[in-house]
Amino acid sequence: KGMETPEKATITRRLKPDTIETERIITVLDETIAKLELSSLIPRIIDSLDRFTDMLGPEITNNLIEHQKLSKEMERLLSSSEEDDTMRAEEQQGCLCLLEQRLKCSVRNVLRLLLANPLLCQALKHKVWERESPAEEFIKAFGEFRNFMLERLLTSPMEEEEKIRFMEDMSLQIKKNTEVITALQAELAAAIRTQEEEIHKKDDVIEDLKTSMQHLTKDYQAGIQHIKQEAEKQREEDLQASQGRCARLQLDIQQLGAQLNTLVVEHRMPELALRKRKCRMEMEIVNWIQKYDADMEEKQAEYEKVHAAYTEEKNQLSLLMEKRAVLLQEYSQIEEERRIQEEKKEQALKELNTLTLAATRIQAFWRGYLIRSLYKSKIKKKKKKGKGKGKKTKK
């Protein structure tokens, strides 16, 4: 409300809101006008950002620089979409929608930061007074809309209906008078045409027509005067009836005003409680946002630390993988050598088993041969002894 123009202030003093709802609606419209004025100054502030850096502070300056980047990106995307027809329409539309959402969020952030400092807003309005004509026209039209809404809100439905009914009655009366005047003018024109057609025939007829025209003009003037008198009389009657209705309506307004005051007194304490609750909730929301920002900064620092450790471990892992590949190659060679040695051992073992089996068989064969030879020699000795004993007996 501190940013109202003199014209709006005059209208506000002349038409004081008599309900809290009306005051709230007008407050919302005034805040919207203030935001429109600030948003229309953003391009001028960005163009002279070096001059306002000290006044704005680092946070607002960074948001304005980000907004400028988004605006340039939007312009670049729009120009590229006009030049390059091969780009797919769906992809282009998706990029535009995403960029438009980011641009809206940027404008809201800038307005939130600016509106949090009313002195800064006032100083910027004094120093950056130039706006583009479309924005100025839109703000002016919105201000007229605000004044129109204020007048409509302060006009009761009964007064509005009475006004419309009175205007309709007057319009109907004027329409009837216009029809009568049109008919008389048509008759006059017809009489004039008839007079002009017969002017060359008879002078007497001309005189009669002149006389008739004079009488017709007099009758026409008398009719118009009568119609005016009837209209004035009807207007006075309607005015008296309207004044009576206004008196009754004024009485009803006083009664309704008394009821309204009673309701206002009755609901004032709950409204104050709700407003205090709203303020507390807004403070809690601000605190939660600040806490969220702090937590996100801590998480970001922790993430960067973990990411750095992860990058280091990943580098070490790549080195270990390279060493593992070399060791795997060496291990494959060692395994191949072991396999060859195992095959050689198995081959030697097979040959040893074969030789052992052959030696065992040869030894068994040799033992059998020795036993058989020994046994044969014993049998021969026995036989020789038996023959010697037989010979001695015969002697």
Side-chain angles (χ1 to χ4, degrees):
K1 290 184 179 179
M3 302 178 183
E4 291 181 346
T5 61
E7 183 181 356
K8 290 192 290 184
T10 303
I11 295 175
T12 305
R13 288 194 297 270
R14 183 170 57 87
L15 301 171
K16 287 289 184 181
D18 56 351
T19 62
I20 296 177
E21 291 79 7
T22 303
E23 184 177 358
R24 289 173 178 171
I25 293 171
I26 298 304
T27 303
V28 170
L29 293 175
D30 291 337
E31 291 176 355
T32 304
I33 292 173
K35 291 180 180 179
L36 288 173
E37 291 175 351
L38 280 178
S39 61
S40 65
L41 295 178
I42 289 176
R44 301 296 181 185
I45 297 172
I46 291 175
D47 293 339
S48 304
L49 193 59
D50 296 334
R51 185 161 60 95
F52 298 106
T53 302
D54 297 333
M55 182 187 299
L56 295 174
E59 186 177 4
I60 300 176
T61 303
N62 293 332
N63 279 273
L64 288 173
I65 292 172
E66 184 67 21
H67 179 74
Q68 185 180 15
K69 291 179 180 179
L70 292 174
S71 300
K72 290 182 179 179
E73 181 66 19
M74 175 68 80
E75 293 175 0
R76 185 191 64 78
L77 186 59
L78 291 174
S79 61
S80 63
S81 63
E82 292 175 356
E83 294 174 0
D84 190 6
D85 296 333
T86 60
M87 185 177 181
R88 289 180 298 177
E90 295 180 357
E91 183 179 359
Q92 175 189 353
Q93 189 66 26
C95 293
L96 286 174
C97 291
L98 180 60
L99 194 57
E100 184 180 0
Q101 292 296 327
R102 292 179 60 191
L103 198 62
K104 289 180 180 179
C105 291
S106 177
V107 173
R108 284 197 293 268
N109 291 333
V110 173
L111 289 178
R112 176 173 59 81
L113 294 173
L114 289 176
L115 291 174
N117 193 346
L119 296 177
L120 177 61
C121 295
Q122 196 67 25
L124 288 174
K125 285 193 174 183
H126 284 298
K127 293 188 177 182
V128 187
W129 55 270
E130 185 179 357
R131 296 189 184 91
E132 296 181 358
S133 56
E136 190 68 26
E137 292 176 359
F138 181 74
I139 294 171
K140 183 178 179 182
F142 199 90
E144 294 175 357
F145 171 73
R146 179 259 186 201
N147 296 332
F148 173 75
M149 285 297 298
L150 179 61
E151 292 181 357
R152 289 298 302 271
L153 290 172
L154 294 177
T155 302
S156 65
M158 291 182 292
E159 292 176 353
E160 187 70 21
E161 290 178 359
E162 185 65 28
K163 183 179 179 180
I164 293 172
R165 192 180 300 110
F166 179 77
M167 294 301 295
E168 288 177 352
D169 293 337
M170 291 300 296
S171 299
L172 183 61
Q173 188 65 35
I174 291 172
K175 184 178 179 181
K176 290 180 179 179
N177 295 338
T178 304
E179 290 176 356
V180 172
I181 291 171
T182 303
L184 292 174
Q185 288 178 349
E187 292 179 1
L188 179 61
I192 292 172
R193 286 195 300 270
T194 304
Q195 181 184 6
E196 289 177 352
E197 290 174 356
E198 295 180 356
I199 194 171
H200 300 292
K201 295 180 180 179
K202 293 182 180 179
D203 295 336
D204 296 337
V205 176
I206 292 173
E207 293 295 332
D208 293 338
L209 287 175
K210 287 182 178 180
T211 305
S212 177
M213 186 178 65
Q214 291 175 358
H215 290 301
L216 186 60
T217 303
K218 291 179 181 180
D219 293 338
Y220 166 73
Q221 293 176 352
I224 290 179
Q225 186 66 27
H226 179 69
I227 291 170
K228 287 182 178 179
Q229 292 176 356
E230 289 293 332
E232 186 66 23
K233 182 179 178 180
Q234 184 66 31
R235 189 184 69 80
E236 291 178 356
E237 292 177 355
D238 293 339
L239 183 60
Q240 292 177 358
S242 176
Q243 289 176 353
R245 286 194 296 270
C246 288
R248 291 193 301 272
L249 292 174
Q250 189 66 31
L251 182 61
D252 294 338
I253 289 170
Q254 292 177 357
Q255 294 176 355
L256 292 173
Q259 295 178 3
L260 177 62
N261 293 329
T262 304
L263 292 174
V264 167
V265 172
E266 182 180 352
H267 293 89
R268 183 168 294 166
M269 293 303 294
E271 181 182 359
L272 291 174
L274 291 173
R275 286 186 177 182
K276 291 180 180 179
R277 183 181 176 186
K278 176 187 174 185
C279 293
R280 288 196 301 271
M281 292 180 69
E282 288 178 351
M283 292 299 297
E284 290 178 359
I285 290 170
V286 171
N287 293 332
W288 278 108
I289 290 173
Q290 293 176 354
K291 183 179 178 182
Y292 172 78
D293 292 338
D295 293 341
M296 289 304 295
E297 289 177 358
E298 294 178 359
K299 296 292 184 183
Q300 183 66 24
E302 184 179 355
Y303 168 76
E304 291 176 355
K305 184 177 179 181
V306 172
H307 184 70
Y310 167 74
T311 305
E312 183 65 25
E313 291 180 358
K314 188 175 180 182
N315 295 331
Q316 295 178 1
L317 178 62
S318 62
L319 294 175
L320 292 174
M321 289 298 290
E322 292 176 357
K323 292 181 180 180
R324 178 180 174 274
V326 175
L327 292 175
L328 282 175
Q329 187 176 3
E330 294 177 357
Y331 176 74
S332 301
Q333 294 177 357
I334 293 170
E335 285 292 326
E336 184 65 22
E337 292 176 357
R338 286 181 180 177
R339 186 183 63 78
I340 294 170
Q341 290 178 0
E342 290 292 333
E343 289 179 355
K344 288 181 180 180
K345 287 181 181 180
E346 289 178 359
Q347 186 68 25
L349 185 60
K350 286 181 180 180
E351 292 178 356
L352 179 61
N353 290 332
T354 303
L355 294 175
T356 303
L357 182 62
T360 302
R361 288 181 179 179
I362 291 170
Q363 288 176 0
F365 181 76
W366 177 252
R367 289 191 194 99
Y369 174 74
L370 290 177
I371 291 172
R372 284 192 301 272
S373 298
L374 182 61
Y375 182 72
K376 285 181 181 180
S377 63
K378 286 181 180 183
I379 292 174
K380 286 179 179 180
K381 288 179 180 180
K382 286 180 179 181
K383 286 180 178 181
K384 288 179 179 181
K385 288 179 179 182
K387 288 181 178 181
K389 288 180 180 180
K391 289 178 178 183
K392 290 179 178 179
T393 302
K394 287 180 178 181
K395 290 179 175 180

